Amino acid sequence: MKIAVTVNGERYERDVEPRTLLAYFLREDLGLTGTHVGCDSSSCGCCVVAMDGDRAVKSCTMFAVQADGHEITTVEGLEQGGKLHPLQQAFWDQHGLQCGYCTPGMLMTSYVLLKHQPAPNEAEIREAIAGNLCRCTGYQNIVKAIQQASTELAAEPAAAAVGS
Amino acid sequence: MFPAPFDYYRAHSVDDAVQALARFGDDARILAGGQSLIPAMRFRLARPSVLVDINAIDELAYVRESDGHLAVGAGTRDFALETAPLIAQRYLLLADTSALVADPVVRQMGTVVGSLCHNDPAGDWPVTALAARAQVSIRTPGGATRTVAIDDFVVDSYTTAVGTGEMAVEVRFPTPGTRTSGSYQKIERKVGDFAAEKLLAGAKPSKDLIRAAMREAEKIADPSPDNRGSVEYKKAMAGVLVGRAIAGALERLGVGGLK
Ligand SMILES: Cc1cc2nc3c(=O)[nH]c(=O)nc-3n(C[C@H](O)[C@H](O)[C@H](O)COP(=O)(O)OP(=O)(O)OC[C@H]3O[C@@H](n4cnc5c(N)ncnc54)[C@H](O)[C@@H]3O)c2cc1C
Ligand code: FES
Ligand code: FES
């Protein structure tokens, strides 16, 4: 089936089998391997991408054909013009990652969180990332990173916009 | 594992979806949030030949209050209920449930009606819909709409009153009275653990009444043992959850510190 998907601001037209999952379409058809696959069953959250900028979705549990006509933002789309997105910079500054396997999903989940809730408190952050598992960090520094990014984005809202 | 091959059809209206189901026959299935169906297809527990995707039917994503009930369309995701001010103010049982299903990312995809149609015995929405005496509207292949009380809608585990070629379009929850409260409780090892028990509160509150309800729940609970716990443990927890649910519901009515 022919689909047209805008990924990180770029439009792609591809012919896909309906059973192709979005995560595999991004990784294998488009070569965007920033989106990781862990559990492959909608549990771990490392495959999360943003759909139409305001919805975090687990791309291992959505078909690529469902993204037809939509805009997808992956971790590769966060950085703009060589400058890390405030969330990426904050994960760096706060040591919000160790092996980095969960990081793309953490970033995209918190990217959508900050769109809906620009100033979440610690409990709200912990709740929002409850569907993203990290085996390394103990979450403490991930929470601090999201707090840092939320403060910075409040001071400079234009930095939040990516894609399109 | 990847799902077995299937054909995909994107419906743009309810009529379009129902006509597609009729055209494609018995093996066609509705695709809503996909959070139960896609994992099932990946494990090859489900093998539909055609998926009729209802995600592009924009007019199905609504939450509306009218004539003594709250209507939730088949396109409404858990996340929409969880974040609606109206729900937080007046529909406490629904607010609790929508915030406890799966995890926050799954809830941005999964739908309330999809959960009812899936009717997992451990699912949260079927339990809440039963407690709230909900009704489900179903569109028939002929284009008519019939409304089914939730007791008749949930037939058995993974089986509902939605027949071949039919589609559920809306669930309706009665608007609670001003002195009515509710609370939904669940024990999880981690987010996304499936439901164990529930309860809605009623009359003349006292500590004795709560204790009696807890004992009753322990008696009538008929759980199956699994790696989450034994039958004895689950029966005891059914009592604990009922106690918490009643106390939580009463607290919301301003009835605390019972004797
Ligand atoms: C990691 C994880 C954890 C989860 N934890 C929980 C949990 O704690 N509690 C819980 O209750 N659920 C849980 N779920 C299930 C999840 O909430 C599902 O979203 C929900 O059960 C099904 O909704 P859906 O919209 O995704 O339906 P789908 O998966 O799209 O559909 C489910 C079934 O219903 C049918 N269907 C859907 N909509 C209609 C319709 N309008 N008319 C007729 N048939 C229809 C489909 O054909 C399919 O057979 C979990 C899922 C995951 C992936
Ligand atoms: S790979 Fe998608 S949730 Fe784990
Ligand atoms: S940094 Fe290793 S899983 Fe999170």
Side-chain angles (χ1 to χ4, degrees):
Chain A
M1 182 180 162
K2 286 216 162 48
I3 59 169
V5 191
T6 302
V7 182
N8 303 328
E10 195 169 325
R11 189 181 149 94
Y12 296 90
E13 287 179 32
R14 290 286 188 282
D15 205 353
V16 296
E17 242 194 303
R19 63 173 170 163
T20 307
L21 294 146
L22 180 60
Y24 293 84
F25 173 74
L26 294 169
R27 290 178 56 84
E28 293 169 7
D29 292 12
L30 304 188
L32 296 170
T33 52
T35 299
H36 292 169
V37 174
C39 66
D40 232 353
S41 57
S42 216
S43 296
C44 74
C46 75
C47 65
V48 171
V49 300
M51 183 153 159
D52 300 325
D54 62 0
R55 192 136 64 95
V57 299
K58 291 184 172 174
S59 63
C60 72
T61 306
M62 175 175 159
F63 295 112
V65 288
Q66 293 179 269
D68 184 25
H70 291 274
E71 270 183 42
I72 301 294
T73 310
T74 69
V75 68
E76 288 95 339
L78 287 179
E79 165 258 302
Q80 297 285 296
K83 190 166 180 285
L84 292 182
H85 186 275
L87 268 165
Q88 291 172 304
Q89 187 61 49
F91 269 68
W92 181 321
D93 295 345
Q94 301 291 341
H95 302 287
L97 62 148
Q98 288 177 27
C99 79
Y101 207 83
C102 69
T103 313
M106 287 288 181
L107 285 167
M108 300 319 295
T109 301
S110 39
Y111 169 74
V112 172
L113 165 73
L114 294 181
K115 288 219 159 169
H116 291 292
Q117 256 177 309
N121 61 32
E122 183 182 336
E124 287 164 344
I125 292 174
R126 287 186 183 273
E127 164 63 19
I129 59 170
N132 295 74
L133 305 183
C134 175
R135 298 302 299 267
C136 304
T137 64
Y139 302 99
Q140 205 71 11
N141 291 345
I142 293 177
V143 174
K144 282 191 203 153
I146 299 170
Q147 283 170 322
Q148 174 183 322
S150 115
T151 310
E152 275 168 22
L153 286 169
E156 194 201 345
V162 301
S164 46
Chain B
M1 185 146 72
F2 273 40
F6 59 87
D7 287 327
Y8 172 86
Y9 181 79
R10 186 177 305 130
H12 289 284
S13 69
V14 173
D15 287 338
D16 186 14
V18 175
Q19 282 158 13
L21 288 175
R23 209 161 52 239
F24 297 125
D26 291 0
D27 287 341
R29 288 276 275 278
I30 300 263
L31 173 65
Q35 298 303 297
S36 293
L37 183 56
I38 296 176
M41 287 171 69
R42 299 190 69 158
F43 292 122
R44 307 279 169 116
L45 296 170
R47 249 182 132 132
S49 57
V50 183
L51 286 187
V52 176
D53 185 355
I54 60 169
N55 285 279
I57 310 179
D58 291 335
E59 72 261 22
L60 275 181
Y62 59 84
V63 179
R64 264 185 233 132
E65 199 179 34
S66 65
D67 301 335
H69 64 251
L70 182 85
V72 177
T76 304
R77 304 182 198 276
D78 295 325
F79 181 73
L81 277 194
E82 197 184 344
T83 49
L86 170 70
I87 308 299
Q89 286 152 15
R90 299 202 54 190
Y91 294 86
L92 304 179
L93 187 62
L94 307 190
D96 281 357
T97 309
S98 60
L100 277 174
V101 172
D103 67 56
V105 180
V106 170
R107 294 200 291 270
Q108 295 179 50
M109 236 11 220
T111 64
V112 178
V113 171
S115 170
L116 293 176
C117 291
H118 186 56
N119 195 23
D120 185 327
D124 292 295
W125 282 116
V127 172
T128 286
L130 281 164
R133 305 203 198 315
Q135 293 188 317
V136 184
S137 302
I138 300 172
R139 187 70 62 93
T140 67
T145 303
R146 65 193 175 97
T147 300
V148 184
I150 191 71
D151 290 296
D152 300 320
F153 180 84
V154 293
V155 175
D156 201 347
S157 297
Y158 304 106
T159 310
T160 69
V162 180
T164 303
E166 293 187 329
M167 171 181 167
V169 289
E170 178 181 287
V171 53
R172 273 183 234 147
F173 298 97
T175 302
T178 47
R179 292 293 292 165
T180 306
S181 182
S183 168
Y184 188 84
Q185 304 281 334
K186 177 171 169 181
I187 292 177
E188 298 181 299
R189 286 181 308 184
K190 60 168 184 59
V191 290
D193 260 11
F194 282 84
E197 266 304 319
K198 51 87 209 186
L199 203 95
L200 259 181
K204 299 252 172 59
S206 72
K207 272 202 173 152
D208 281 343
L209 179 89
I210 297 184
R211 270 193 292 270
M214 289 170 69
R215 276 196 301 276
E216 188 60 22
E218 285 171 23
K219 233 183 332 179
I220 60 178
D222 182 17
S224 7
D226 59 19
N227 61 6
R228 291 183 172 84
S230 62
V231 168
E232 293 73 23
Y233 170 78
K234 288 191 176 179
K235 276 176 156 296
M237 288 309 109
V240 168
L241 287 171
V242 164
R244 283 186 197 161
I246 300 178
L250 288 171
E251 205 150 285
R252 287 172 164 173
L253 285 172
V255 187
L258 290 178
K259 300 233 164 66

